[in-house]
Amino acid sequence: MTYLLKPLANGKLVLALEGGYNVTAVSESVVACTKVLIGETPPTLSNKPPTIPVPEDREAFDHVFSTRKRRDSVPSDGSVTPASLISDQDQEEVFENPDIDNDEEMESVEENGEVNGIANGVEVDGVKVEEGEGEGMYPKAECVEVVNKVIRIQSKYWKSLATPLHIERENEISTAKIPLHIILKKYRTINLKEHTGLIQMKVTNETVTKNLSVCIYTTPSYADYEGILYLFVHDSYDIVRATMSHTKNNINLSDSYLVDTSTTYITSIVGNESALIDVEIDVDESFERISKKDNDVLEASKNDVARYAVTLISSLWKERIEPSKAKRVVVITSGVGSAAFIKFLNLGFRPGFKRISCCNVLLDTSKTPKIQNHLREWFYKHSFTYIPSSLPKGTVIKSNKDYGNCISNGLEKPSGNEVLAAVHREVFENIAYQLSKEYEAQYE
């Protein structure tokens, strides 16, 4: 098998050792596979079963076949025939008549035109078993089926195949393909409009549209709202769970799902009768756009996405938030949006910053961004930064003017949506606390 698979993947193979029931057989198998990997040709397989030595006493005979029934491997010298080839009745017959030659069984098989359960000349799953004298080792139907499944799934990665099977089959349905991320965007647009009343806003900045896959949703008439305006910047869905069918190589849609924590925040904001600008960034799709545009970028990173996200936030702030009538602004960011917002703040103080009552920065990495000198005091008084940590959720990790108030989210190596779900209550408690402080100061 190793010899046959080598040319299919240009020699790129992974050998996994499972079991280990017979140390001798395992060691010999490893040596045989290694020889093939370094260029040696394996010995030719034969249909002829190994010779059965008949012990002189019944005790030795029983020992041999009880060992086979425990499914140990056949020794390389062929001194024992697998128990699966010999029934209990055959065992008795061999013991009583030691002159029986196992070639008789193979002769009867060849007369019927079958080898290993497949008739000569029959086509199985596209593979034809040629007629012959039984000199080759033919695969069983199950083996052919497994190999074809492997080819269908993996052939697109095998450059050595001139016409991979998947190309011919997928070309037939290419016009019907719909990328999953487009379906999810449509779902989110419809869902937000129906349940929260948000409408989609067109992105006008060309630099942003060329490099980022982003969707912006707002409450109607947000610009004229005089209460609290929320800016919510987050990644798209990053928790998708799919299960495979037990009988087919397909996703079982009824047991597959995605986690949409951003809508939970939106519902809380709109439920408080506040205005909202929701910014969803598809990080994976943005990676592809940046990589295709910049030929020198083999694979875009989050820093590349954050760089263009800064441009997006700057544009929104200048064109949408500063001209709005909102008296208070609350910012919630997660994922790549958090890194972009901190970089945006460090670009310089803007007049609209005075209206920010509270910043909630949700990080999915323990690396905390540092705030520049001109904003240190302001950020310290108005922000809460949640960072991954093994400490209990809510534990203050550090509180200073360089990094603000850093609090544990109680998770280690979380995704953006996991962070959003973990600290939902804490975020809105912080917002209520900050707003109450400002109202008290206003009426003192």
mmCIF file of all heavy atoms in Angstrom, residues 28-72:
data_model
loop_
_atom_site.group_PDB
_atom_site.id
_atom_site.type_symbol
_atom_site.label_atom_id
_atom_site.label_comp_id
_atom_site.label_asym_id
_atom_site.label_seq_id
_atom_site.Cartn_x
_atom_site.Cartn_y
_atom_site.Cartn_z
ATOM 1 N N GLU A 28 8.470 -5.825 11.754
ATOM 2 C CA GLU A 28 8.747 -6.194 10.376
ATOM 3 C C GLU A 28 7.977 -5.313 9.389
ATOM 4 O O GLU A 28 8.481 -4.969 8.313
ATOM 5 C CB GLU A 28 8.404 -7.664 10.163
ATOM 6 C CG GLU A 28 9.339 -8.607 10.928
ATOM 7 C CD GLU A 28 8.936 -10.063 10.772
ATOM 8 O OE1 GLU A 28 7.850 -10.300 10.196
ATOM 9 O OE2 GLU A 28 9.686 -10.938 11.217
ATOM 10 N N SER A 29 6.754 -4.923 9.773
ATOM 11 C CA SER A 29 5.957 -4.044 8.910
ATOM 12 C C SER A 29 6.599 -2.669 8.798
ATOM 13 O O SER A 29 6.641 -2.071 7.714
ATOM 14 C CB SER A 29 4.534 -3.906 9.466
ATOM 15 O OG SER A 29 3.884 -5.151 9.500
ATOM 16 N N VAL A 30 7.092 -2.151 9.912
ATOM 17 C CA VAL A 30 7.743 -0.840 9.907
ATOM 18 C C VAL A 30 8.983 -0.869 9.020
ATOM 19 O O VAL A 30 9.238 0.053 8.228
ATOM 20 C CB VAL A 30 8.109 -0.403 11.340
ATOM 21 C CG1 VAL A 30 8.999 0.837 11.319
ATOM 22 C CG2 VAL A 30 6.852 -0.141 12.148
ATOM 23 N N VAL A 31 9.763 -1.943 9.123
ATOM 24 C CA VAL A 31 10.955 -2.074 8.289
ATOM 25 C C VAL A 31 10.572 -2.123 6.809
ATOM 26 O O VAL A 31 11.187 -1.467 5.965
ATOM 27 C CB VAL A 31 11.758 -3.336 8.679
ATOM 28 C CG1 VAL A 31 12.865 -3.598 7.666
ATOM 29 C CG2 VAL A 31 12.342 -3.179 10.073
ATOM 30 N N ALA A 32 9.528 -2.880 6.497
ATOM 31 C CA ALA A 32 9.093 -3.013 5.113
ATOM 32 C C ALA A 32 8.626 -1.674 4.539
ATOM 33 O O ALA A 32 8.969 -1.306 3.410
ATOM 34 C CB ALA A 32 7.965 -4.056 5.018
ATOM 35 N N CYS A 33 7.847 -0.922 5.324
ATOM 36 C CA CYS A 33 7.362 0.386 4.863
ATOM 37 C C CYS A 33 8.515 1.368 4.700
ATOM 38 O O CYS A 33 8.546 2.158 3.749
ATOM 39 C CB CYS A 33 6.331 0.945 5.847
ATOM 40 S SG CYS A 33 4.769 0.051 5.854
ATOM 41 N N THR A 34 9.471 1.319 5.622
ATOM 42 C CA THR A 34 10.622 2.223 5.556
ATOM 43 C C THR A 34 11.449 1.956 4.307
ATOM 44 O O THR A 34 11.947 2.873 3.652
ATOM 45 C CB THR A 34 11.494 2.076 6.807
ATOM 46 O OG1 THR A 34 10.692 2.308 7.970
ATOM 47 C CG2 THR A 34 12.646 3.065 6.787
ATOM 48 N N LYS A 35 11.615 0.671 3.955
ATOM 49 C CA LYS A 35 12.357 0.320 2.741
ATOM 50 C C LYS A 35 11.700 0.920 1.503
ATOM 51 O O LYS A 35 12.375 1.412 0.598
ATOM 52 C CB LYS A 35 12.454 -1.204 2.602
ATOM 53 C CG LYS A 35 13.419 -1.862 3.592
ATOM 54 C CD LYS A 35 13.473 -3.365 3.365
ATOM 55 C CE LYS A 35 14.484 -4.028 4.318
ATOM 56 N NZ LYS A 35 14.548 -5.497 4.104
ATOM 57 N N VAL A 36 10.372 0.880 1.481
ATOM 58 C CA VAL A 36 9.658 1.459 0.343
ATOM 59 C C VAL A 36 9.839 2.971 0.305
ATOM 60 O O VAL A 36 10.016 3.565 -0.759
ATOM 61 C CB VAL A 36 8.156 1.095 0.415
ATOM 62 C CG1 VAL A 36 7.362 1.876 -0.641
ATOM 63 C CG2 VAL A 36 7.962 -0.398 0.229
ATOM 64 N N LEU A 37 9.825 3.604 1.469
ATOM 65 C CA LEU A 37 9.963 5.055 1.530
ATOM 66 C C LEU A 37 11.323 5.527 1.016
ATOM 67 O O LEU A 37 11.442 6.620 0.456
ATOM 68 C CB LEU A 37 9.754 5.548 2.963
ATOM 69 C CG LEU A 37 8.316 5.454 3.508
ATOM 70 C CD1 LEU A 37 8.278 5.873 4.966
ATOM 71 C CD2 LEU A 37 7.368 6.327 2.701
ATOM 72 N N ILE A 38 12.346 4.713 1.207
ATOM 73 C CA ILE A 38 13.684 5.126 0.760
ATOM 74 C C ILE A 38 13.989 4.652 -0.659
ATOM 75 O O ILE A 38 15.117 4.799 -1.136
ATOM 76 C CB ILE A 38 14.777 4.607 1.723
ATOM 77 C CG1 ILE A 38 14.802 3.078 1.761
ATOM 78 C CG2 ILE A 38 14.601 5.189 3.111
ATOM 79 C CD1 ILE A 38 15.920 2.510 2.626
ATOM 80 N N GLY A 39 12.977 4.051 -1.345
ATOM 81 C CA GLY A 39 13.140 3.763 -2.757
ATOM 82 C C GLY A 39 13.174 2.307 -3.150
ATOM 83 O O GLY A 39 13.239 1.997 -4.342
ATOM 84 N N GLU A 40 13.147 1.393 -2.205
ATOM 85 C CA GLU A 40 13.184 -0.024 -2.572
ATOM 86 C C GLU A 40 11.817 -0.486 -3.072
ATOM 87 O O GLU A 40 10.779 0.044 -2.668
ATOM 88 C CB GLU A 40 13.627 -0.867 -1.372
ATOM 89 C CG GLU A 40 15.061 -0.616 -0.933
ATOM 90 C CD GLU A 40 15.501 -1.604 0.133
ATOM 91 O OE1 GLU A 40 14.852 -2.668 0.266
ATOM 92 O OE2 GLU A 40 16.498 -1.322 0.826
ATOM 93 N N THR A 41 11.841 -1.493 -3.949
ATOM 94 C CA THR A 41 10.602 -2.064 -4.475
ATOM 95 C C THR A 41 10.162 -3.232 -3.594
ATOM 96 O O THR A 41 10.978 -4.115 -3.284
ATOM 97 C CB THR A 41 10.802 -2.560 -5.913
ATOM 98 O OG1 THR A 41 11.251 -1.462 -6.714
ATOM 99 C CG2 THR A 41 9.496 -3.108 -6.486
ATOM 100 N N PRO A 42 8.907 -3.257 -3.185
ATOM 101 C CA PRO A 42 8.459 -4.352 -2.303
ATOM 102 C C PRO A 42 8.347 -5.662 -3.062
ATOM 103 O O PRO A 42 8.230 -5.667 -4.297
ATOM 104 C CB PRO A 42 7.088 -3.865 -1.841
ATOM 105 C CG PRO A 42 6.601 -3.005 -2.957
ATOM 106 C CD PRO A 42 7.825 -2.306 -3.480
ATOM 107 N N PRO A 43 8.380 -6.789 -2.386
ATOM 108 C CA PRO A 43 8.220 -8.088 -3.051
ATOM 109 C C PRO A 43 6.821 -8.233 -3.637
ATOM 110 O O PRO A 43 5.864 -7.628 -3.147
ATOM 111 C CB PRO A 43 8.463 -9.100 -1.923
ATOM 112 C CG PRO A 43 8.157 -8.342 -0.669
ATOM 113 C CD PRO A 43 8.577 -6.932 -0.928
ATOM 114 N N THR A 44 6.701 -9.028 -4.699
ATOM 115 C CA THR A 44 5.412 -9.235 -5.352
ATOM 116 C C THR A 44 4.490 -10.049 -4.464
ATOM 117 O O THR A 44 4.896 -11.052 -3.875
ATOM 118 C CB THR A 44 5.608 -9.983 -6.684
ATOM 119 O OG1 THR A 44 6.518 -9.222 -7.493
ATOM 120 C CG2 THR A 44 4.285 -10.136 -7.421
ATOM 121 N N LEU A 45 3.217 -9.589 -4.370
ATOM 122 C CA LEU A 45 2.231 -10.315 -3.577
ATOM 123 C C LEU A 45 1.775 -11.559 -4.336
ATOM 124 O O LEU A 45 1.782 -11.590 -5.562
ATOM 125 C CB LEU A 45 1.029 -9.427 -3.268
ATOM 126 C CG LEU A 45 1.305 -8.209 -2.377
ATOM 127 C CD1 LEU A 45 0.043 -7.361 -2.259
ATOM 128 C CD2 LEU A 45 1.771 -8.640 -1.006
ATOM 129 N N SER A 46 1.315 -12.533 -3.605
ATOM 130 C CA SER A 46 0.870 -13.788 -4.221
ATOM 131 C C SER A 46 -0.486 -14.175 -3.683
ATOM 132 O O SER A 46 -0.822 -13.895 -2.535
ATOM 133 C CB SER A 46 1.880 -14.909 -3.935
ATOM 134 O OG SER A 46 1.371 -16.154 -4.356
ATOM 135 N N ASN A 47 -1.280 -14.824 -4.543
ATOM 136 C CA ASN A 47 -2.585 -15.330 -4.104
ATOM 137 C C ASN A 47 -2.465 -16.589 -3.263
ATOM 138 O O ASN A 47 -3.349 -16.936 -2.499
ATOM 139 C CB ASN A 47 -3.452 -15.668 -5.322
ATOM 140 C CG ASN A 47 -4.206 -14.445 -5.824
ATOM 141 O OD1 ASN A 47 -4.487 -13.559 -5.050
ATOM 142 N ND2 ASN A 47 -4.488 -14.424 -7.113
ATOM 143 N N LYS A 48 -1.372 -17.293 -3.424
ATOM 144 C CA LYS A 48 -1.257 -18.603 -2.795
ATOM 145 C C LYS A 48 -1.135 -18.483 -1.286
ATOM 146 O O LYS A 48 -0.271 -17.771 -0.775
ATOM 147 C CB LYS A 48 -0.033 -19.332 -3.340
ATOM 148 C CG LYS A 48 0.071 -20.778 -2.900
ATOM 149 C CD LYS A 48 1.223 -21.471 -3.601
ATOM 150 C CE LYS A 48 1.293 -22.934 -3.185
ATOM 151 N NZ LYS A 48 2.386 -23.657 -3.861
ATOM 152 N N PRO A 49 -2.018 -19.156 -0.538
ATOM 153 C CA PRO A 49 -1.950 -19.055 0.928
ATOM 154 C C PRO A 49 -0.667 -19.674 1.440
ATOM 155 O O PRO A 49 -0.072 -20.540 0.805
ATOM 156 C CB PRO A 49 -3.160 -19.880 1.393
ATOM 157 C CG PRO A 49 -4.041 -20.024 0.199
ATOM 158 C CD PRO A 49 -3.129 -20.002 -0.986
ATOM 159 N N PRO A 50 -0.212 -19.230 2.604
ATOM 160 C CA PRO A 50 0.981 -19.823 3.178
ATOM 161 C C PRO A 50 0.770 -21.280 3.551
ATOM 162 O O PRO A 50 -0.339 -21.729 3.770
ATOM 163 C CB PRO A 50 1.237 -18.964 4.428
ATOM 164 C CG PRO A 50 -0.067 -18.310 4.715
ATOM 165 C CD PRO A 50 -0.762 -18.147 3.412
ATOM 166 N N THR A 51 1.851 -22.027 3.570
ATOM 167 C CA THR A 51 1.797 -23.464 3.885
ATOM 168 C C THR A 51 1.403 -23.682 5.334
ATOM 169 O O THR A 51 1.803 -22.942 6.228
ATOM 170 C CB THR A 51 3.169 -24.104 3.636
ATOM 171 O OG1 THR A 51 3.547 -23.818 2.289
ATOM 172 C CG2 THR A 51 3.114 -25.595 3.849
ATOM 173 N N ILE A 52 0.604 -24.741 5.566
ATOM 174 C CA ILE A 52 0.180 -25.061 6.928
ATOM 175 C C ILE A 52 0.992 -26.231 7.449
ATOM 176 O O ILE A 52 0.836 -27.363 6.984
ATOM 177 C CB ILE A 52 -1.301 -25.456 6.977
ATOM 178 C CG1 ILE A 52 -2.168 -24.350 6.372
ATOM 179 C CG2 ILE A 52 -1.725 -25.752 8.404
ATOM 180 C CD1 ILE A 52 -3.618 -24.710 6.314
ATOM 181 N N PRO A 53 1.866 -26.017 8.393
ATOM 182 C CA PRO A 53 2.544 -27.152 9.007
ATOM 183 C C PRO A 53 1.605 -27.812 10.017
ATOM 184 O O PRO A 53 0.976 -27.125 10.813
ATOM 185 C CB PRO A 53 3.726 -26.489 9.712
ATOM 186 C CG PRO A 53 3.252 -25.118 10.036
ATOM 187 C CD PRO A 53 2.279 -24.735 8.957
ATOM 188 N N VAL A 54 1.459 -29.112 9.960
ATOM 189 C CA VAL A 54 0.562 -29.812 10.879
ATOM 190 C C VAL A 54 1.370 -30.381 12.028
ATOM 191 O O VAL A 54 2.247 -31.219 11.814
ATOM 192 C CB VAL A 54 -0.180 -30.948 10.148
ATOM 193 C CG1 VAL A 54 -1.126 -31.651 11.112
ATOM 194 C CG2 VAL A 54 -0.945 -30.382 8.953
ATOM 195 N N PRO A 55 1.122 -29.954 13.246
ATOM 196 C CA PRO A 55 1.864 -30.446 14.395
ATOM 197 C C PRO A 55 1.612 -31.929 14.613
ATOM 198 O O PRO A 55 0.579 -32.466 14.214
ATOM 199 C CB PRO A 55 1.320 -29.613 15.559
ATOM 200 C CG PRO A 55 0.662 -28.431 14.918
ATOM 201 C CD PRO A 55 0.161 -28.917 13.608
ATOM 202 N N GLU A 56 2.552 -32.571 15.283
ATOM 203 C CA GLU A 56 2.433 -34.003 15.541
ATOM 204 C C GLU A 56 1.450 -34.280 16.665
ATOM 205 O O GLU A 56 0.916 -35.379 16.761
ATOM 206 C CB GLU A 56 3.805 -34.592 15.899
ATOM 207 C CG GLU A 56 4.804 -34.506 14.763
ATOM 208 C CD GLU A 56 6.135 -35.110 15.142
ATOM 209 O OE1 GLU A 56 6.264 -35.566 16.301
ATOM 210 O OE2 GLU A 56 7.029 -35.119 14.282
ATOM 211 N N ASP A 57 1.190 -33.341 17.530
ATOM 212 C CA ASP A 57 0.258 -33.591 18.626
ATOM 213 C C ASP A 57 -0.861 -32.555 18.617
ATOM 214 O O ASP A 57 -0.710 -31.455 18.142
ATOM 215 C CB ASP A 57 0.981 -33.563 19.970
ATOM 216 C CG ASP A 57 1.654 -32.229 20.196
ATOM 217 O OD1 ASP A 57 2.752 -32.028 19.644
ATOM 218 O OD2 ASP A 57 1.066 -31.387 20.906
ATOM 219 N N ARG A 58 -2.003 -32.972 19.145
ATOM 220 C CA ARG A 58 -3.198 -32.117 19.142
ATOM 221 C C ARG A 58 -2.983 -30.846 19.972
ATOM 222 O O ARG A 58 -3.486 -29.778 19.614
ATOM 223 C CB ARG A 58 -4.381 -32.916 19.712
ATOM 224 C CG ARG A 58 -5.676 -32.116 19.760
ATOM 225 C CD ARG A 58 -6.241 -31.911 18.368
ATOM 226 N NE ARG A 58 -7.312 -30.944 18.346
ATOM 227 C CZ ARG A 58 -8.315 -30.972 17.492
ATOM 228 N NH1 ARG A 58 -8.375 -31.922 16.577
ATOM 229 N NH2 ARG A 58 -9.253 -30.063 17.508
ATOM 230 N N GLU A 59 -2.256 -30.918 21.028
ATOM 231 C CA GLU A 59 -2.046 -29.761 21.903
ATOM 232 C C GLU A 59 -1.341 -28.631 21.157
ATOM 233 O O GLU A 59 -1.729 -27.467 21.238
ATOM 234 C CB GLU A 59 -1.219 -30.178 23.120
ATOM 235 C CG GLU A 59 -1.020 -29.032 24.115
ATOM 236 C CD GLU A 59 -0.219 -29.480 25.314
ATOM 237 O OE1 GLU A 59 0.059 -30.703 25.434
ATOM 238 O OE2 GLU A 59 0.116 -28.621 26.146
ATOM 239 N N ALA A 60 -0.349 -29.001 20.361
ATOM 240 C CA ALA A 60 0.364 -27.987 19.593
ATOM 241 C C ALA A 60 -0.543 -27.388 18.525
ATOM 242 O O ALA A 60 -0.528 -26.184 18.252
ATOM 243 C CB ALA A 60 1.607 -28.581 18.953
ATOM 244 N N PHE A 61 -1.374 -28.245 17.891
ATOM 245 C CA PHE A 61 -2.293 -27.773 16.870
ATOM 246 C C PHE A 61 -3.279 -26.757 17.446
ATOM 247 O O PHE A 61 -3.515 -25.684 16.876
ATOM 248 C CB PHE A 61 -3.049 -28.972 16.291
ATOM 249 C CG PHE A 61 -3.971 -28.614 15.154
ATOM 250 C CD1 PHE A 61 -3.516 -28.655 13.847
ATOM 251 C CD2 PHE A 61 -5.283 -28.240 15.396
ATOM 252 C CE1 PHE A 61 -4.352 -28.325 12.800
ATOM 253 C CE2 PHE A 61 -6.116 -27.909 14.348
ATOM 254 C CZ PHE A 61 -5.663 -27.960 13.046
ATOM 255 N N ASP A 62 -3.886 -27.097 18.594
ATOM 256 C CA ASP A 62 -4.845 -26.198 19.227
ATOM 257 C C ASP A 62 -4.187 -24.880 19.605
ATOM 258 O O ASP A 62 -4.803 -23.806 19.527
ATOM 259 C CB ASP A 62 -5.439 -26.854 20.475
ATOM 260 C CG ASP A 62 -6.366 -27.997 20.120
ATOM 261 O OD1 ASP A 62 -6.837 -28.034 18.965
ATOM 262 O OD2 ASP A 62 -6.623 -28.850 21.004
ATOM 263 N N HIS A 63 -2.943 -24.930 20.032
ATOM 264 C CA HIS A 63 -2.228 -23.711 20.415
ATOM 265 C C HIS A 63 -2.065 -22.772 19.212
ATOM 266 O O HIS A 63 -2.260 -21.557 19.323
ATOM 267 C CB HIS A 63 -0.858 -24.068 20.984
ATOM 268 C CG HIS A 63 0.002 -22.856 21.223
ATOM 269 N ND1 HIS A 63 -0.245 -21.972 22.245
ATOM 270 C CD2 HIS A 63 1.094 -22.381 20.554
ATOM 271 C CE1 HIS A 63 0.651 -20.998 22.203
ATOM 272 N NE2 HIS A 63 1.486 -21.237 21.184
ATOM 273 N N VAL A 64 -1.739 -23.368 18.047
ATOM 274 C CA VAL A 64 -1.546 -22.556 16.847
ATOM 275 C C VAL A 64 -2.827 -21.804 16.480
ATOM 276 O O VAL A 64 -2.826 -20.587 16.277
ATOM 277 C CB VAL A 64 -1.086 -23.445 15.668
ATOM 278 C CG1 VAL A 64 -1.141 -22.653 14.361
ATOM 279 C CG2 VAL A 64 0.312 -23.958 15.920
ATOM 280 N N PHE A 65 -3.955 -22.509 16.421
ATOM 281 C CA PHE A 65 -5.172 -21.864 15.947
ATOM 282 C C PHE A 65 -5.859 -21.022 17.010
ATOM 283 O O PHE A 65 -6.589 -20.085 16.686
ATOM 284 C CB PHE A 65 -6.125 -22.916 15.373
ATOM 285 C CG PHE A 65 -5.669 -23.405 14.038
ATOM 286 C CD1 PHE A 65 -5.040 -24.623 13.910
ATOM 287 C CD2 PHE A 65 -5.825 -22.613 12.909
ATOM 288 C CE1 PHE A 65 -4.600 -25.057 12.681
ATOM 289 C CE2 PHE A 65 -5.375 -23.045 11.676
ATOM 290 C CZ PHE A 65 -4.754 -24.278 11.553
ATOM 291 N N SER A 66 -5.662 -21.311 18.276
ATOM 292 C CA SER A 66 -6.183 -20.411 19.311
ATOM 293 C C SER A 66 -5.430 -19.090 19.262
ATOM 294 O O SER A 66 -5.986 -18.022 19.527
ATOM 295 C CB SER A 66 -6.058 -21.047 20.701
ATOM 296 O OG SER A 66 -4.694 -21.240 21.034
ATOM 297 N N THR A 67 -4.161 -19.150 18.914
ATOM 298 C CA THR A 67 -3.374 -17.921 18.734
ATOM 299 C C THR A 67 -3.920 -17.107 17.571
ATOM 300 O O THR A 67 -4.060 -15.888 17.647
ATOM 301 C CB THR A 67 -1.897 -18.263 18.458
ATOM 302 O OG1 THR A 67 -1.381 -19.020 19.561
ATOM 303 C CG2 THR A 67 -1.073 -16.988 18.300
ATOM 304 N N ARG A 68 -4.284 -17.764 16.456
ATOM 305 C CA ARG A 68 -4.833 -17.059 15.306
ATOM 306 C C ARG A 68 -6.177 -16.428 15.644
ATOM 307 O O ARG A 68 -6.504 -15.344 15.185
ATOM 308 C CB ARG A 68 -5.006 -18.022 14.114
ATOM 309 C CG ARG A 68 -3.709 -18.579 13.570
ATOM 310 C CD ARG A 68 -2.685 -17.522 13.205
ATOM 311 N NE ARG A 68 -3.255 -16.446 12.456
ATOM 312 C CZ ARG A 68 -3.076 -15.181 12.755
ATOM 313 N NH1 ARG A 68 -2.329 -14.841 13.788
ATOM 314 N NH2 ARG A 68 -3.628 -14.232 12.028
ATOM 315 N N LYS A 69 -6.981 -17.107 16.452
ATOM 316 C CA LYS A 69 -8.283 -16.574 16.807
ATOM 317 C C LYS A 69 -8.162 -15.319 17.650
ATOM 318 O O LYS A 69 -9.091 -14.545 17.769
ATOM 319 C CB LYS A 69 -9.105 -17.629 17.542
ATOM 320 C CG LYS A 69 -9.626 -18.737 16.618
ATOM 321 C CD LYS A 69 -10.485 -19.717 17.378
ATOM 322 C CE LYS A 69 -11.018 -20.790 16.430
ATOM 323 N NZ LYS A 69 -11.872 -21.769 17.125
ATOM 324 N N ARG A 70 -7.009 -15.110 18.277
ATOM 325 C CA ARG A 70 -6.778 -13.870 19.033
ATOM 326 C C ARG A 70 -6.315 -12.762 18.101
ATOM 327 O O ARG A 70 -5.920 -11.699 18.537
ATOM 328 C CB ARG A 70 -5.746 -14.107 20.136
ATOM 329 C CG ARG A 70 -6.274 -14.973 21.275
ATOM 330 C CD ARG A 70 -5.379 -14.809 22.501
ATOM 331 N NE ARG A 70 -4.004 -15.177 22.239
ATOM 332 C CZ ARG A 70 -3.519 -16.402 22.410
ATOM 333 N NH1 ARG A 70 -4.317 -17.370 22.827
ATOM 334 N NH2 ARG A 70 -2.255 -16.669 22.138
ATOM 335 N N ARG A 71 -6.344 -13.012 16.791
ATOM 336 C CA ARG A 71 -6.082 -11.998 15.761
ATOM 337 C C ARG A 71 -4.668 -11.467 15.776
ATOM 338 O O ARG A 71 -4.409 -10.312 15.446
ATOM 339 C CB ARG A 71 -7.082 -10.836 15.874
ATOM 340 C CG ARG A 71 -8.513 -11.262 15.683
ATOM 341 C CD ARG A 71 -9.416 -10.031 15.783
ATOM 342 N NE ARG A 71 -9.108 -9.070 14.748
ATOM 343 C CZ ARG A 71 -9.579 -9.130 13.518
ATOM 344 N NH1 ARG A 71 -10.351 -10.125 13.155
ATOM 345 N NH2 ARG A 71 -9.269 -8.209 12.628
ATOM 346 N N ASP A 72 -3.709 -12.303 16.171
ATOM 347 C CA ASP A 72 -2.311 -11.898 16.008
ATOM 348 C C ASP A 72 -1.960 -11.938 14.537
ATOM 349 O O ASP A 72 -2.610 -12.605 13.742
ATOM 350 C CB ASP A 72 -1.386 -12.854 16.778
ATOM 351 C CG ASP A 72 -1.455 -12.596 18.281
ATOM 352 O OD1 ASP A 72 -2.017 -11.545 18.646
ATOM 353 O OD2 ASP A 72 -0.963 -13.434 19.044
#
